[in-house]
């Protein structure tokens, strides 16, 4: 597998530096809960909005070949700067009808199974994979449980660790727990500035810990679910700048800021041969977590 | 003259509050059928009610003792314990919660891992404990289980994990979530080496534990009537706004939906596992043969020191 053109690389680097500079500029103190609200903003660009702006010739594929097609996850072939690639992403709707159709971006087991089926196609034909995460979480319903959503998520986690092709993950909105992680194991994990990624929603956390979901703002602070927090913990490799005030203000600008980073990261991942790539992916996951030893506590 | 005569005086009446037979620590009441069970007998029956086969919850050390040959095993990585990476405070600081759980349970962490023999096979066993912060999975649990799998790869043994968990540990935030991916990646490497992983689901197994290693067993078996699912029943009830059927998310439900291999009574568990290991631990498979077979994708150079 080779990149077929690299014309934008230099420009990409320049943009990257700019983005880094802007991010570090003073007066930058959006609270965790403000970011939660931005991540859920109804006008925020969703997966299909980014596909439209970053990729050419998107060809959607459907169904898990077992039970159904899940509209909460979209999969398809496309070209990224002329390089054929697979796209997998959660899709939320914008109006009420669309939202219902997409089940508010909450996948059912068939969604995860469609995703891994598509990813194995990409592996077979040696094409890179781009994953876009934007979901409140797995769908908590009877049918999803009956069809084994825990198994579907677990299977994806194990199989994605083994994919021989580059996997670039971008959290573009909400990264809701297992439903997000099920398409989130990759060589690179990127995150938009106002996206969130959490083990539980702030409301759910507050309901359990304080028996009061109105404490969500406090939970959001405690959970450390923002992009800068997660970069610090080594979960996220790079935080991507958004248009002023949030990505909802300009989809075009949001895509323009993401584009060079995706390109860079893909190029980086392609420089590794397969054993190196898998070894790196394993080591990246392997070092996640902070624990202590019973004699003296500290980070490993 | 009467035939009988009272030699002693009147017997003092016993006051009502004193009229009790002291049975604490002798009898237990079954939570399911309400029968009174002789504690010693219950212990002999591996904490299973002799009347209705209700499976009482079992602690982590008990589990491992009942798994290994002659109850003998060597604990691994006991020094790995939780810290408080986020400085999380809910009703009390998370550090206090950890310390309290350690005091109350006598366990260092929500999972105990050990090395030993089962039916003569080399086995790396792990058991979770619900009494330790709801058996939740944080960084330390993830690290101990990942190391367990890596030990098994190094020494070519089988992995057996008894799951019992409320899910990922909220107090460690997204790091807890990442443990799911970390353990699953280690299982991917184990699979490449053609080494078995047996997952035993016990009451209750939910959330992130179910959606990672618990559902990735080459063999997945469950104790009778164990609650097993991803979303908890209360969350589902709130979402769909109706009561759930009684057997929903129980072992029997999972078996009939094709999600698990078998429901095994705790008293039959060890012989069942040994039969499975006899099948899976094939001496013809060696580290050289698997490397030749598939060309290992994972070198696992990044394992712990």
């Amino acid at each position: 597998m080779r990149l077929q053109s690299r014309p934008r690389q230099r420009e990409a680097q320049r943009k990257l530096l700019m983005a880094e500079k802007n991010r570090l500029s003073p007066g930058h103190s959006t609270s965790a809960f403000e970011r939660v609200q931005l991540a859920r903003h109804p006008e925020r660009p969703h997966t299909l909005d980014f596909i439209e702006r970053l990729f050419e010739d998107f060809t959607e594929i459907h169904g898990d070949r077992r039970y159904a097609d899940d509209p909460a996850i979209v999969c398809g072939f496309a070209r990224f700067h002329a390089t054929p690639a697979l796209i997998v992403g959660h899709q939320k709707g914008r109006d009420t009808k669309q939202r219902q159709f997409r089940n508010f971006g909450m996948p059912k087991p068939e969604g995860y199974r469609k995703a891994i089926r598509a990813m194995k196609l990409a592996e077979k034909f040696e094409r890179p994979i781009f994953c876009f995460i934007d979901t409140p979480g797995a769908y908590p319903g009877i049918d999803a449980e009956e069809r084994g959503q825990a198994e579907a998520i677990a299977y994806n986690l194990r199989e994605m660790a083994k994919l021989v092709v580059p996997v670039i993950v971008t959290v573009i909105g909400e990264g809701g727990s297992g439903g997000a992680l099920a398409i989130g194991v990759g060589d690179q994990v990127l995150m938009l500035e106002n996206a969130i990624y959490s083990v539980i929603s702030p409301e759910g956390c507050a309901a359990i810990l304080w028996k009061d979901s109105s404490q969500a703002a406090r939970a959001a602070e405690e959970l450390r679910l923002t992009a800068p927090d997660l970069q610090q913990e080594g979960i996220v490799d790079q935080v991507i700048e958004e248009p002023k005030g949030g990505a909802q203000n300009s989809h075009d600008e949001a895509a323009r800021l993401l584009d060079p980073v995706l390109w860079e990261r893909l190029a980086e991942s392609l420089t590794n041969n397969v054993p190196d790539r898998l070894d790196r992916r394993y080591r990246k996951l392997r070092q996640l977590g902070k624990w202590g030893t019973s004699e003296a506590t500290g980070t490993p | 003259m009467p035939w009988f005569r009272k030699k002693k005086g009147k017997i003092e009446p016993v006051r009502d509050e004193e009229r009790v037979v002291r049975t604490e620590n002798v009898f237990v009441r079954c939570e399911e059928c309400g029968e009174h069970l002789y504690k010693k007998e219950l212990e002999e029956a591996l904490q299973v009610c002799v009347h209705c086969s209700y499976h009482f919850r079992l602690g982590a050390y008990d589990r491992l003792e009942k798994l290994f040959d002659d109850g003998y095993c060597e604990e691994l990585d006991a020094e790995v314990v939780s810290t408080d990476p986020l400085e999380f405070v809910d009703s009390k600081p998370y550090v206090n919660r950890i310390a309290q759980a350690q005091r109350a349970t006598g366990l260092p962490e929500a999972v105990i891992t050990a090395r030993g023999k089962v039916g003569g096979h080399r086995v790396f066993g792990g058991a979770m404990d619900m009494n330790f912060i709801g058996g939740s999975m944080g960084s330390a649990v993830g690290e101990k289980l990942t190391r367990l799998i890596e030990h098994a790869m190094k020494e070519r043994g089988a992995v057996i994990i008894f799951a019992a968990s409320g899910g990922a540990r909220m107090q460690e935030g997204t790091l807890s979530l990442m443990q799911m991916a970390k353990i699953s990646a280690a299982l991917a490497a184990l699979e490449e080496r053609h080494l078995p992983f047996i997952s035993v689901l016990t009451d209750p197994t939910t959330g992130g534990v179910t959606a990672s290693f618990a559902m990735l067993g080459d063999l997945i078996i469950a104790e009778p009537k164990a609650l097993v699912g991803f979303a908890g029943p209360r969350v589902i009830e709130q979402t769909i706004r109706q009561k759930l059927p009684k057997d929903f998310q129980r072992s029997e439900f999972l078996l009939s939906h094709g999600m698990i291999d078998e429901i095994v009574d705790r008293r039959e568990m060890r012989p069942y596992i040994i039969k499975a290991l006899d099948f899976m631990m094939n001496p013809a498979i060696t580290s050289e043969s698997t490397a030749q077979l598939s060309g290992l994708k994972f070198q696992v150079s990044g394992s712990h020191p």
Side-chain angles (χ1 to χ4, degrees):
Chain A
M1 186 180 353
R2 287 180 58 92
L3 285 178
Q4 288 170 4
S5 71
R6 307 183 177 228
R8 298 212 207 165
Q9 211 161 9
R10 189 162 303 217
E11 193 201 357
Q13 226 153 15
R14 190 183 56 81
K15 280 182 192 163
L16 213 70
L17 282 170
M18 287 280 289
E20 199 63 8
K21 222 183 256 170
N22 286 342
R23 210 173 58 73
L24 295 174
S25 65
H28 192 277
S29 59
T30 320
S31 82
F33 199 60
E34 276 165 11
R35 286 193 204 269
V36 170
Q37 285 160 328
L38 283 174
R40 293 171 178 167
H41 197 286
E43 291 304 320
R44 196 175 169 80
H46 298 150
T47 297
L48 287 175
D49 299 313
F50 279 114
I51 291 175
E52 200 180 298
R53 286 164 180 82
L54 293 170
F55 298 85
E56 294 116 56
D57 302 333
F58 178 61
T59 314
E60 192 171 354
I61 59 170
H62 296 277
D64 67 346
R65 300 273 166 85
R66 280 170 170 73
Y67 180 78
D69 181 43
D70 186 352
I73 290 184
V74 291
C75 299
F77 317 133
R79 287 173 187 277
F80 181 62
H81 300 292
T83 303
L86 178 83
I87 306 168
V88 176
H90 300 100
Q91 179 64 27
K92 294 176 174 175
R94 193 145 280 131
D95 57 39
T96 310
K97 212 170 159 191
Q98 276 292 315
R99 264 183 227 159
Q100 270 174 351
F101 172 65
R102 302 286 181 188
N103 198 24
F104 305 91
M106 291 187 286
K108 293 182 181 179
E110 44 274 21
Y112 310 119
R113 290 181 179 134
K114 168 169 73 174
I116 198 70
R117 176 178 82 82
M119 288 191 243
K120 289 195 173 191
L121 270 184
E123 182 176 46
K124 182 173 175 182
F125 300 108
E126 300 188 20
R127 300 299 188 194
I129 300 169
F130 291 98
C131 294
F132 295 99
I133 292 180
D134 188 16
T135 177
Y139 178 64
I142 292 186
D143 50 344
E145 290 289 324
E146 274 177 341
R147 295 198 290 277
Q149 68 176 340
E151 188 273 342
I153 294 169
Y155 181 78
N156 282 20
L157 300 183
R158 186 181 70 195
E159 297 305 307
M160 285 187 84
K162 289 194 285 193
L163 291 169
V164 300
V165 294
V167 183
I168 318 281
V169 178
T170 312
V171 187
I172 56 171
E174 276 184 282
S177 192
L181 188 62
I183 60 165
V185 178
D187 304 308
Q188 315 274 350
V189 181
L190 318 171
M191 201 163 163
L192 263 56
E193 192 184 345
N194 293 315
I196 56 165
Y197 199 178
S198 178
V199 67
I200 187 168
S201 72
E203 290 79 7
C205 177
I208 293 171
L209 294 181
W210 298 290
K211 318 274 175 232
D212 179 6
S213 54
S214 64
Q215 297 268 14
R218 186 174 155 200
E221 288 295 336
E222 294 279 355
L223 283 166
R224 301 265 294 269
L225 40 64
T226 68
D229 285 337
L230 296 171
Q231 189 180 28
Q232 216 170 29
E233 280 166 16
I235 293 169
V236 166
D237 297 292
Q238 189 176 338
V239 179
I240 297 149
E241 196 200 2
E242 288 184 22
K244 204 162 181 290
Q248 76 282 356
N249 290 337
S250 168
H251 294 190
D252 291 340
E253 178 69 3
R256 202 186 58 76
L257 289 163
L258 176 58
D259 181 66
V261 185
L262 287 183
W263 182 255
E264 285 263 305
R265 294 292 171 163
L266 177 64
E268 191 183 322
S269 204
L270 282 172
T271 55
N272 296 314
N273 60 23
V274 171
D276 281 351
R277 185 178 302 137
L278 289 168
D279 190 42
R280 273 162 177 260
R281 198 183 296 158
Y282 186 81
R283 272 186 287 136
K284 201 160 133 40
L285 293 170
R286 186 66 190 83
Q287 49 85 32
L288 289 176
K290 287 199 177 78
W291 65 92
T293 48
S294 42
E295 289 83 35
T297 51
T299 52
Chain B
M1 202 174 104
W3 287 8
F4 301 105
R5 184 175 296 155
K6 237 182 203 167
K7 281 188 180 165
K8 288 180 186 166
K10 246 188 168 178
I11 298 169
E12 278 294 310
V14 182
R15 271 177 298 152
D16 267 355
E17 57 264 36
E18 285 172 22
R19 278 176 190 270
V20 273
V21 187
R22 304 229 172 267
T23 57
E24 290 100 345
N25 299 316
V26 180
F27 285 94
V28 214
R29 201 186 170 103
C30 174
E31 286 165 39
E32 183 82 7
C33 67
E35 283 284 344
H36 294 276
L37 303 164
Y38 185 36
K39 208 170 181 184
K40 233 178 178 174
E41 215 172 63
L42 184 65
E43 259 159 44
E44 274 163 27
L46 309 181
Q47 303 285 333
V48 177
C49 172
V50 289
H51 301 284
C52 71
S53 293
Y54 173 76
H55 284 51
F56 285 77
R57 286 182 185 172
L58 208 56
Y61 282 121
D62 284 340
R63 286 258 176 225
L64 294 176
E65 194 198 319
K66 266 134 205 162
L67 169 70
F68 288 107
D69 295 349
D70 308 316
Y72 176 78
C73 63
E74 176 200 344
E75 188 172 348
L76 298 166
D77 304 307
E79 75 282 1
V80 176
V81 290
S82 292
T83 52
D84 183 9
L86 308 188
E87 290 163 5
F88 198 98
V89 181
D90 49 270
S91 53
K92 58 181 140 186
Y94 174 47
V95 266
N96 296 3
R97 212 172 265 282
I98 300 166
Q100 193 193 28
Q102 285 168 339
R103 266 199 311 275
T105 58
L107 300 166
E109 190 41 64
V111 70
I112 300 297
T113 56
R115 172 190 7 228
K117 292 272 165 107
V118 177
H121 301 285
R122 188 178 298 142
V123 164
F124 293 81
M128 304 187 79
D129 199 304
M130 265 311 276
N131 291 322
F132 196 102
I133 320 186
S136 55
M137 174 164 72
S139 298
V141 170
E143 180 64 20
K144 283 180 88 168
L145 288 175
T146 308
R147 286 190 189 185
L148 185 75
I149 297 160
E150 287 173 347
H151 286 306
M153 285 192 267
K154 233 171 267 168
E155 299 175 36
R156 291 203 67 81
V159 177
I160 302 176
I161 302 173
F162 291 84
S165 175
R169 194 173 291 171
M170 268 183 297
Q171 292 88 345
E172 290 183 31
T174 317
L175 284 174
S176 300
L177 185 70
M178 293 302 143
Q179 303 309 309
M180 295 166 61
K182 175 163 131 183
I183 301 170
S184 302
L187 285 174
L190 184 81
E191 193 183 37
E192 285 218 313
R193 283 156 180 79
H194 294 244
L195 291 165
F197 167 43
I198 299 176
S199 175
V200 187
L201 313 177
T202 75
D203 187 56
T205 301
T206 57
V209 166
T210 322
S212 60
F213 64 89
M215 278 294 166
L216 290 175
D218 295 305
L219 185 77
I220 307 176
I221 50 184
E223 286 192 340
K225 291 184 182 150
L227 177 79
V228 179
F230 179 59
R234 253 175 309 168
V235 178
I236 299 175
E237 278 179 1
Q238 279 166 15
T239 313
I240 61 168
R241 294 171 204 283
Q242 49 182 306
K243 273 281 187 208
L244 292 169
K246 197 172 172 281
D247 69 332
F248 184 65
Q249 291 183 320
R250 297 280 161 186
S251 310
E252 294 71 16
F253 175 90
L254 270 88
L255 186 71
S256 71
H257 282 83
M259 292 297 156
I260 58 174
D261 291 284
E262 187 62 293
I263 296 171
V264 185
D265 189 290
R266 192 179 290 156
R267 292 161 291 190
E268 310 293 325
M269 190 65 83
R270 212 179 99 86
Y272 188 96
I273 287 174
I274 291 172
K275 274 189 276 179
L277 287 175
D278 288 343
F279 175 82
M280 292 173 164
M281 294 295 275
N282 184 349
I285 300 174
T286 61
S287 41
E288 292 78 36
S289 78
T290 52
Q292 271 178 356
L293 210 73
S294 49
L296 288 183
K297 288 178 189 165
F298 291 94
Q299 300 305 317
V300 199
S301 62
S303 63
H304 65 92

